[in-house]
Amino acid sequence: MPDRRLLCLAGAALLCIVAFMTIGLRGNIGFVLALRAIKLAALLQVSVSIAVSTVIFQTVTNNRILTPSIMGLDALYLFGQILLVFLLGGLGYAALDAQLKFGGEIIVLMALATGLLLPMLRRRTDMGLMLLAGIIFGILFRSLNSLLARLIDPNDFAVVQGASFANFNDVRTDLLAFAAILTIAGIVIAWRARHVLDVMALGADTATGLGISWSRNVTGLLLLVSALVAVSTALVGPVAFFGLLVVALAERLVDTRSHAALMPAAMLTAVIILVGGQTLFQHGLGSSSTLGVVIEFVGGFAFLVLLVFGSRK
Amino acid sequence: MIRIEDVSLRHGQTQILHDIWLTIPKGGITALVGPNGAGKSSLLSLIARLQPLQAGRISVDSFPVDTTPSRDLARILAILRQDSIVTSRLRVRELVGFGRFPHGRGRLTPDDYAIIDQSLQQFDLTDLSDRFIETLSGGQRQRALVAMAFAQGTDYLLLDEPLNNLDMFFARELMRSLRRIADENGKTIVIVLHDINQASAHADRIVAMKSGRIVADGTPSDLLTPKTLQAVFGFQMRVETFDDMPVVLHFR
């Protein structure tokens, strides 16, 4: 009964959100609530965009192990940032209009990601090649990032560093409204494409036989994935294994690859982990900066489990 | 009518198809036979626009396959490939239901459900309809895929070696089902076969290919002669006739 499980997930997610908003309210309640609401909005966007982009990416590439961030898409986004700092200097970078810069970065990332990945996805290549190419892309972009980071001024490096580590406490609230529009548009597009995604999961040939124009759909979906990755990376920084963890969990919870159930399940799971985890770390454990580390640890572990025991294919 | 005019195909240095001209009229079963690497599957995937057309023209019911929108083509032509991979956690009924995708883009009407049930019945899958695909045997999976292609409800059905993995019973059942839907529903079926005797028993016409060319074309009794078979397959074999059906004895 995927419907009932979805309802349970939705309930749990709601509980996490309420807990996040209300636990430990003190002092000027209106001010605290407003502050928390902004942060909550950012966390929700990050959860949803990572979940949706990972589901779509896994369907298009026909695997359960690769995610946009393992393929280095978020590293590519950071590369753009560091390149800007390198070219303009830390002050020039900081002086840029944040929203304008964000818009430009998204467009560049969409173009680069599509240009790099499309040749591989036009015809579905085999899993081993995809995985290898993905890991190498990831390493390439990360190495380029550290190369550039070594070339720039130490003061500028501080600017870069702020952007290069996942941080769920210090979210970029100035981009929130712009990112929200993108995220909501992304969800609407993904939801409307749910049946197409179900068919695309059958493989390029079968999908073409059923009337899907494969390359056009793959291109569109890749653009969508890169926009969503840009949103989450811009708001909190890169998170490598979160998407993998969330989708693997959601798939086991609803026990189907039907996108009408899997996409909402993945979004809700992401919300539970991120918002619930953040609440727990802030109020339960007191050391709130480690949520990113824990998520990466558990996600990396899930990655290894999937690799060793094989995903259900 | 499927009209293939002057079609060639090459992959890098290798020429897969040489100047193919072929017309397949509406109705009946046409079997494509030939040794491995003759280009049968390539020709089929070109007709079904799974590969881009490099040279020549192909049209189905006067719709050119390279310019007609994929979705429109999916309502007149269905294809089953030999290496159709299937994703996980999918039930037989859901898989067959994907055959209705070109008609409602994923929204299933009561009519669609009726067609899905009929396809399941047609290919003896009703008992298996709630099983997951990955728990089926190769032959059962093959039948489920054929049922999906049938549920697409198209006039033309292209099947690439659908008898793979099927035992004698189900191979015969499948060929008889195809014969029935060709006769009763007026479908046009183009099928790649390796078992030449199945072609002899069920096809109206046999097209023999070798090294990317069509080398023989005719009814089973015209085509299945020791001389033609040697030209196609490269070795001598006996042909006997039982009940007006030529039987090729190619085993020893």
Side-chain angles (χ1 to χ4, degrees), chain B residues 205-248:
Chain B
R205 176 187 178 192
I206 298 180
V207 175
M209 294 180 68
K210 187 186 185 182
S211 316
R213 292 189 168 82
I214 290 173
V215 287
D217 180 359
T219 61
S221 41
D222 289 342
L223 192 121
L224 299 178
T225 61
K227 205 168 150 237
T228 318
L229 287 169
Q230 175 151 25
V232 177
F233 291 97
F235 65 99
Q236 193 82 75
M237 49 193 115
R238 265 177 69 193
V239 180
E240 295 292 335
T241 304
F242 296 104
D243 299 344
D244 297 330
M245 179 192 127
V247 174
V248 182

Side-chain angles (χ1 to χ4, degrees), chain A residues 177-232:
Chain A
F178 189 32
I181 298 171
L182 269 177
T183 313
I184 289 169
I187 296 174
V188 171
I189 295 172
W191 180 251
R192 289 175 60 105
R194 64 195 187 280
H195 296 304
V196 173
L197 283 165
D198 284 341
V199 174
M200 288 179 82
L202 299 175
D205 282 348
T206 311
T208 310
L210 290 171
I212 301 267
S213 40
W214 181 258
S215 9
R216 190 169 354 128
N217 277 293
V218 168
T219 315
L221 289 169
L222 265 185
L223 288 174
L224 177 62
V225 166
S226 19
L228 290 174
V229 169
V231 167
S232 76

Side-chain angles (χ1 to χ4, degrees), chain A residues 62 64 123-124 194-196 198-199 201-202 205-206 208-213 251 255-257 312-313, chain B residues 49-50 70-71 74 77 79 81 84-85 87-90 95 98-99 101-102 105-107 132 148 152:
Chain A
N62 186 32
R64 304 283 169 274
R123 287 274 133 204
R124 241 179 206 184
R194 64 195 187 280
H195 296 304
V196 173
D198 284 341
V199 174
L202 299 175
D205 282 348
T206 311
T208 310
L210 290 171
I212 301 267
S213 40
E251 194 182 346
D255 201 23
T256 172
R257 269 314 271 192
R312 285 194 291 215
K313 287 202 65 173
Chain B
R49 47 85 175 90
L50 300 186
S70 190
R71 187 183 169 185
L77 175 123
I79 176 147
R81 295 264 290 166
S84 294
I85 36 163
T87 42
S88 60
R89 310 317 281 168
L90 197 61
L95 178 75
F98 280 129
F101 179 80
R105 303 302 274 181
R107 261 175 268 281
F132 283 116
M148 177 180 94
Q152 214 172 320

Side-chain angles (χ1 to χ4, degrees), chain A residues 94-112:
Chain A
L96 285 176
D97 178 55
Q99 302 200 358
L100 202 66
K101 185 164 68 67
F102 184 46
E105 279 162 359
I106 287 178
I107 292 170
V108 170
L109 181 71
M110 285 161 94
L112 277 178

Side-chain angles (χ1 to χ4, degrees), chain B residues 142 161-166 170-171 174-175 191 193 195 198:
Chain B
Q142 192 70 11
E161 296 184 35
L163 302 187
N164 268 357
N165 297 322
L166 294 188
F170 280 117
L174 178 59
M175 289 309 291
I191 180 169
L193 284 176
D195 187 342
Q198 291 282 10

Side-chain angles (χ1 to χ4, degrees), chain B residues 174-190:
Chain B
L174 178 59
M175 289 309 291
R176 284 163 65 141
S177 305
L178 292 177
R179 187 70 254 175
R180 197 164 59 238
I181 60 181
D183 292 339
E184 290 171 9
N185 308 7
K187 307 261 179 193
T188 311
I189 296 169
V190 183

Side-chain angles (χ1 to χ4, degrees), chain A residues 49-73:
Chain A
S49 54
I50 288 181
V52 172
S53 63
T54 307
V55 169
I56 294 176
F57 194 77
Q58 292 193 345
T59 294
V60 171
T61 56
N62 186 32
N63 76 85
R64 304 283 169 274
I65 298 173
L66 282 183
T67 66
S69 39
I70 294 176
M71 292 289 280
L73 275 192

